[in-house]
Amino acid sequence: MRYISLVLATLLLIGCGGGSSKIDKAKEKVQSLIDENIGSQSNDMSGQTETTKATQPSTTDDQNSTTPTDEQNGSNMRQSDTTKSDTDNTHSDNDTSSQSSTDEPASGNNNNHTADTNKTDDQKSSTNDNQSSENNSSSESSTNNSIDNQHSDTNTTIKKIVDRHNYYRNLLYHDSNLTWDDEIAKSAQEWANYLAEHYTVQARDRGYSPHDNQNFDYGENIAWGIPSMDFVTDEPIEDIDTPSDTIPDGAVDAWASEKAYYDYETNSQKAGYEDKVIGHYTQLVWKESTKVGCAKAKSQTDLGGEWVVCRYYKPGNMTINGVKQKPY
């Protein structure tokens, strides 16, 4: 605008005429205006530069991570020290992360807080995992102990059954001990379960035999007692040759007690005891039987009590050509 004004002023002076003196005066006036205009423009430019610098951050200010200011260095140093102190107690590789987070102190602090929170959550998770692992280990240990105890109890029971059988067999001979057989025991368990589910008071009163008439593979002894029936008593019967009115509460011992009524010479009951059962005893001591398996089951019918079933291989109480064979 100032250049346009100068040009217009010059044209007006020239257009007005007035000779050389007037022209010279016009030139002086123009020169004065030009000088004044240049000075004003310089001042305006200076003002614009300062305003731009004040309102627009420089590229250097935007790149604090590369060339931070002294004040920012102090803030970052304090933050780095704090972060290092925290991370020294955890993982050293967190130092790199904490340094990179110092580009923006406020954001860096938030990141560190988040990292600390995550660290706490991780520690809690680790603690919970450890507790869960300990609980699982404890649970597994308890389960294993329970199984081990069951196995131990089962093995103890099996040993008692076999030993008690052989105790009574060895009173007569010493060259045919029984051994335990799991398959035979499984067969005995199936039949014990069947009796527990199906044998009733009515079946007993009608005289139905509890023996399995479809079993042709094994010899079989069965005992029933109420409210329960054990496999063996605490101690074996010392005198099985003398009749007793008391029936032992152990199945094997009850079967052995039948010897008091057995006459080996006639291979039948002694005189006066024809109504007594002796077949359990003869099966127990049957010399050709070498394997045994036993089981028991609680009655689920109105009969109540508990069933014990033992099966033997080879089966005893054999009759050949119409002649009852002796047990030994």
Side-chain angles (χ1 to χ4, degrees):
M1 292 299 294
R2 290 181 179 275
Y3 285 111
I4 295 172
S5 298
L6 289 173
V7 172
L8 290 175
T10 302
L11 291 175
L12 287 173
L13 289 172
I14 294 174
C16 292
S20 60
S21 60
K22 289 184 179 180
I23 291 171
D24 291 337
K25 290 181 179 181
K27 289 180 177 180
E28 294 177 356
K29 182 63 175 178
V30 169
Q31 186 64 45
S32 175
L33 291 172
I34 290 172
D35 292 339
E36 180 180 354
N37 181 65
I38 291 172
S40 175
Q41 183 177 4
S42 176
N43 291 335
D44 290 343
M45 293 282 292
S46 175
Q48 289 175 356
T49 301
E50 291 174 358
T51 301
T52 302
K53 181 178 181 181
T55 58
Q56 297 181 2
S58 67
T59 303
T60 300
D61 291 336
D62 288 339
Q63 297 176 346
N64 290 334
S65 61
T66 306
T67 56
T69 64
D70 291 341
E71 182 178 355
Q72 289 171 332
N73 275 333
S75 174
N76 291 343
M77 181 63 71
R78 288 191 294 274
Q79 181 179 350
S80 178
D81 290 344
T82 302
T83 304
K84 188 174 187 299
S85 175
D86 290 339
T87 55
D88 282 345
N89 295 328
T90 53
H91 301 288
S92 60
D93 57 353
N94 285 343
D95 290 344
T96 303
S97 176
S98 66
Q99 288 175 354
S100 66
S101 70
T102 60
D103 292 351
E104 296 178 5
S107 176
N109 287 335
N110 290 336
N111 289 340
N112 288 336
H113 177 71
T114 301
D116 290 342
T117 301
N118 290 338
K119 179 180 69 176
T120 302
D121 290 341
D122 290 342
Q123 291 172 341
K124 290 179 179 178
S125 176
S126 176
T127 301
N128 291 336
D129 290 342
N130 290 337
Q131 291 176 345
S132 176
S133 177
E134 290 174 359
N135 290 337
N136 289 338
S137 297
S138 176
S139 177
E140 291 175 0
S141 176
S142 176
T143 301
N144 290 336
N145 287 338
S146 177
I147 293 173
D148 290 341
N149 289 337
Q150 290 175 1
H151 287 169
S152 177
D153 291 344
T154 300
N155 290 335
T156 299
T157 300
I158 290 173
K159 187 177 186 307
K160 286 181 178 180
I161 293 171
V162 173
D163 287 351
R164 190 60 54 87
H165 273 84
N166 289 332
Y167 170 81
Y168 293 120
R169 290 165 70 92
N170 288 335
L171 294 176
L172 306 171
Y173 50 83
H174 302 279
D175 57 351
S176 182
N177 282 344
L178 293 176
T179 59
W180 184 266
D181 187 283
D182 287 336
E183 286 300 316
I184 297 176
K186 180 180 178 182
S187 172
Q189 186 66 69
E190 290 173 353
W191 187 245
N193 292 343
Y194 178 86
L195 293 174
E197 294 174 6
H198 300 286
Y199 199 86
T200 64
V201 170
Q202 185 181 51
R204 181 197 63 189
D205 292 346
R206 291 184 177 181
Y208 295 152
S209 171
H211 286 282
D212 181 5
N213 58 14
Q214 299 299 315
N215 168 42
F216 303 106
D217 297 322
Y218 306 115
E220 183 177 80
N221 277 351
I222 295 177
W224 172 85
I226 194 169
S228 63
M229 191 71 183
D230 295 327
F231 288 112
V232 297
T233 55
D234 292 338
E235 299 293 336
I237 303 171
E238 293 183 1
D239 182 10
I240 58 174
D241 293 307
T242 302
S244 172
D245 293 333
T246 302
I247 298 176
D249 56 5
V252 177
D253 303 283
W255 299 329
S257 69
E258 294 176 2
K259 185 178 186 295
Y261 313 109
Y262 174 68
D263 184 346
Y264 181 78
E265 295 302 326
T266 62
N267 196 26
S268 62
Q269 292 94 338
K270 290 179 178 179
Y273 296 103
E274 289 79 8
D275 61 339
K276 296 295 183 180
V277 176
I278 58 173
H280 300 101
Y281 168 72
T282 53
Q283 170 60 80
L284 187 153
V285 297
W286 196 269
K287 191 172 183 178
E288 291 186 2
S289 296
T290 57
K291 296 180 181 180
V292 64
C294 301
K296 63 181 179 177
K298 285 280 188 182
S299 175
Q300 305 299 314
T301 71
D302 57 353
L303 182 67
E306 189 170 32
W307 293 95
V308 171
V309 177
C310 284
R311 287 186 167 180
Y312 306 83
Y313 183 83
K314 299 178 177 179
N317 295 333
M318 300 297 292
T319 298
I320 300 177
N321 297 326
V323 179
K324 290 177 59 177
Q325 303 299 301
K326 288 186 176 182
Y328 50 89

